[in-house]
Amino acid sequence: MDKNMLYRSIPKVDLLLEDGTIKQMIAIYGREMIIEAIRVETDALRKYIGQCTSEEAAMEEIALLPKRIEQQAEKLLQPNMKKVINATGTILHTNLGRAPISANHMQHIAEIATGYSNLEYHLAKGKRGERYAHFEELLCKVTGAEAAIAVNNNAAAVMLILSTMAKAGEVLVSRGELVEIGGKFRIPDVMEQSGASLVEVGTTNKTHYADYEKAITEETTALLKVHTSNYRIVGFTETVPIAQLVELGEKYEIPVIEDLGSGVLIDLSKYGITYEPTVQESVASGADVVCFSGDKLLGGPQAGLIVGKKKYIDRMKQNQLMRALRIDKFTASALEVVLKEYLSEERAVKNIPVLQMMTKPLAEITKEARRLKQMLSKLKLDAEIRLEPCQSQIGGGSLPLECIESMAVTIKPLHMTTSELEESMRLLPVPVVARVIHDRIFLDVRTIGTENFGYLKQLQNIERLTTA
Ligand SMILES: *Cc1c(COP(=O)(O)O)cnc(C)c1O
């Protein structure tokens, strides 16, 4: 076998660029991308020939070069960030993007993003407007607050609040609330960044009204209450309710700030879920400023929402930091359409995916699970498929102890291990992320969504799942 002859048969780059098929590719992908693809594929071809033992196979591979170049160019264009099927049952999965936005809402957001909009333009006055104006009144209406603003995320909200209201002063926080929320958000660290100094009061499990009062000095600029979103201290515990902190704040004329984390706007206990303090309740208790995430239980885009007394919000709008933390047009329009749903609780529960998933009755989930099982059974997979009860979780650092009864389609592969199957599912063109419980794949139907059932047909493309 004459390897030199084979190497010589690989067309040179300038010749390839003159080729009709390649020219067509250049028209689609652009010259630089095709040159890059040619380089990658001719290198791979040389390597292949080097190891190849059959001249025929090598010639075949050389003939395939234009096709490989096109595939390579296609690959270079493929976004790395892609749609994933969340079969984990964790509704607010931070690694999988937290709250999904509904397709209906997205239509409007896409319209805003693909063209020009009145983002910062007051149409009636024909003058510069404010990007927060599109949802400020709405946010005030649904929370009962005087004024509102939004920043990039809730971590940024806490930073802006402290930097505006407590800079160079002392902020009192209960030792039981010095939390770390995933992704390295630690209350003491954020406090340091903002320039405020932290004064810890009470103990890990118990903090009393008197503990706060004792710690108040001339330097105290704020009382901060942090909702311990992602963990619970149970047993011998005591915290000071926001209403009492407000009393203390009024007595000493010190503003009270509450970081609620999740930001629930509806009473979840009506739907069989543990009651979470709502934003309205915190505002009604008299907290001066309340902040919460846009993409946790609110079910909207990533954002940090700040509501409260106008005099404080106005000062935040003037803060230089605001320019660095401001939201973009995608977020502003998403916040507006999602918050509009909260004008009626019924609409919110029906139209916001996170609330929809959380409140869907088990009977309905079970019906959907039967349908999915039937669909998977028809694929004749080399696996045992069952319907099994499971528990969905809220996730995203919200309601850590909450489990919602749910139904899963479970899979036990017969000719590969469960963990091999779990990995193969993650590597599908539209990846399926699932949990492994007792050596079975659990597909929790609550977070998959019936509109995504079709994607699970990809399972038949997993080699060792269909060898029978
Ligand atoms: C989640 C959370 C944050 C951080 O919110 P992001 O929107 O993720 O930045 C801050 N404080 C509390 C109490 C939280 O639960």
Side-chain angles (χ1 to χ4, degrees):
M1 168 173 162
D2 183 353
K3 288 219 173 178
N4 278 332
M5 183 277 288
L6 286 172
Y7 284 129
R8 278 198 309 274
S9 335
I10 301 175
K12 296 273 171 299
V13 177
D14 26 343
L15 268 182
L16 273 170
L17 290 174
E18 291 306 312
D19 179 87
T21 343
I22 300 283
K23 275 188 168 160
Q24 274 173 10
M25 289 182 209
I26 290 175
I28 299 170
Y29 298 98
R31 193 177 165 85
E32 290 92 338
M33 189 126 53
I34 293 301
I35 290 177
E36 163 78 358
I38 290 174
R39 195 188 52 72
V40 171
E41 288 306 325
T42 48
D43 281 357
L45 189 53
R46 259 182 226 108
K47 220 178 243 163
Y48 178 84
I49 292 170
Q51 293 164 354
C52 189
T53 50
S54 140
E55 191 171 313
E56 213 172 299
M59 291 303 285
E60 251 171 56
E61 210 39 52
I62 292 169
L64 276 172
L65 185 60
K67 196 172 153 207
R68 296 261 190 262
I69 291 169
E70 178 146 38
Q71 284 169 344
Q72 179 62 28
E74 188 57 41
K75 207 169 112 190
L76 286 171
L77 268 191
Q78 280 305 315
N80 193 51
M81 196 162 153
K82 50 180 136 183
K83 177 185 176 78
V84 158
I85 306 303
N86 176 10
T88 65
T90 299
I91 295 171
L92 293 171
H93 202 301
T94 299
N95 302 150
L96 303 183
R98 281 202 192 152
I101 303 289
S102 84
N104 267 342
H105 293 154
M106 213 50 225
Q107 240 179 20
H108 174 71
I109 301 161
E111 194 172 81
I112 297 295
T114 52
Y116 297 104
S117 66
N118 59 339
L119 176 67
E120 279 191 356
Y121 188 67
H122 197 295
L123 289 169
K125 293 182 185 161
K127 283 200 305 210
R128 190 198 154 99
E130 204 190 56
R131 63 180 63 208
Y132 312 101
H134 304 289
F135 56 82
E136 180 170 4
E137 211 181 298
L138 195 54
L139 194 48
C140 289
K141 190 167 176 151
V142 296
T143 60
E146 279 175 18
I149 198 169
V151 288
N152 188 44
N153 58 19
N154 193 33
V158 175
M159 176 87 88
L160 177 67
I161 292 169
L162 293 175
S163 144
T164 308
M165 299 171 64
K167 205 169 189 161
E170 293 176 353
V171 177
L172 311 192
V173 187
S174 160
R175 285 206 168 83
E177 296 173 3
L178 292 174
V179 295
E180 171 173 323
I181 319 283
K184 295 265 163 23
F185 173 90
R186 287 178 159 186
I187 286 293
D189 298 344
V190 176
M191 186 89 74
E192 203 184 304
Q193 285 277 329
S194 73
S197 18
L198 168 70
V199 176
E200 304 177 16
V201 301
T203 61
T204 305
N205 59 329
K206 281 205 170 202
T207 302
H208 308 279
Y209 182 91
D211 293 325
Y212 284 98
E213 190 160 24
K214 260 193 312 214
I216 291 177
T217 69
E218 288 285 299
E219 309 300 318
T220 310
T221 44
L223 307 179
L224 171 64
K225 187 167 177 64
V226 181
H227 187 51
T228 58
S229 312
N230 58 357
Y231 82 116
R232 289 285 180 270
I233 299 178
V234 292
F236 190 59
T237 68
E238 188 170 324
T239 60
V240 179
I242 185 74
Q244 275 186 36
L245 268 193
V246 168
E247 251 174 57
L248 183 64
E250 279 169 0
K251 186 168 161 191
Y252 292 89
E253 291 180 17
I254 298 168
V256 174
I257 302 162
E258 180 159 58
D259 171 10
L260 271 180
S262 286
V264 204
L265 292 174
I266 62 175
D267 174 2
L268 290 174
S269 66
K270 278 198 249 171
Y271 305 93
I273 295 162
T274 310
Y275 181 79
E276 268 276 289
T278 63
V279 179
Q280 297 92 313
E281 193 184 28
S282 180
V283 171
S285 300
D288 293 276
V289 170
V290 182
C291 65
F292 49 100
S293 281
D295 57 353
K296 289 186 181 171
L297 291 171
L298 187 93
Q302 178 189 304
L305 303 180
I306 308 174
V307 303
K309 306 255 162 79
K310 188 167 181 308
K311 64 172 176 179
Y312 297 116
I313 303 288
D314 282 348
R315 275 170 56 196
M316 288 177 213
K317 285 180 183 170
Q318 299 307 318
N319 190 321
Q320 281 302 314
L321 255 185
M322 192 63 216
R323 185 63 176 77
L325 305 178
R326 79 174 189 191
I327 52 167
D328 68 334
K329 58 176 178 272
F330 298 81
T331 308
S333 72
L335 277 175
E336 187 190 5
V337 285
V338 172
L339 286 170
K340 276 225 154 87
E341 300 291 3
Y342 281 100
L343 291 173
S344 138
E345 180 173 327
E346 247 178 287
R347 283 182 61 93
V349 170
K350 202 170 75 190
N351 297 337
I352 296 176
V354 167
L355 298 181
Q356 227 173 27
M357 282 187 261
M358 276 168 64
T359 59
K360 192 177 264 188
L362 180 61
E364 204 172 320
I365 299 271
T366 306
K367 233 188 334 196
E368 293 173 3
R370 280 203 198 98
R371 223 176 79 213
L372 180 62
K373 176 173 179 265
Q374 224 170 38
M375 192 196 93
L376 291 182
S377 301
K378 279 194 197 130
L379 301 181
K380 303 259 180 289
L381 300 178
D382 208 12
E384 183 196 75
I385 300 175
R386 281 195 223 149
L387 217 58
E388 285 184 73
C390 68
Q391 292 184 322
S392 311
Q393 285 170 339
I394 308 279
S398 310
L399 290 160
L401 304 182
E402 192 74 21
C403 290
I404 311 176
E405 294 306 320
S406 187
M407 195 54 73
V409 176
T410 71
I411 306 176
K412 168 83 188 156
L414 300 177
H415 289 103
M416 66 197 294
T417 67
T418 305
S419 68
E420 281 167 345
L421 176 56
E422 188 272 336
E423 185 189 0
S424 303
M425 285 170 43
R426 271 190 278 122
L427 299 176
L428 287 168
V430 178
V432 178
V433 182
R435 279 188 297 172
V436 173
I437 302 171
H438 300 314
D439 202 30
R440 297 180 71 87
I441 298 280
F442 268 65
L443 303 172
D444 188 331
V445 173
R446 191 179 292 277
T447 51
I448 294 175
T450 50
E451 71 281 10
N452 288 319
F453 279 4
Y455 290 107
L456 289 160
K457 289 189 179 147
Q458 293 178 106
L459 289 181
Q460 65 188 336
N461 303 332
I462 294 175
E463 220 168 276
R464 277 186 294 159
L465 198 57
T466 44
T467 46

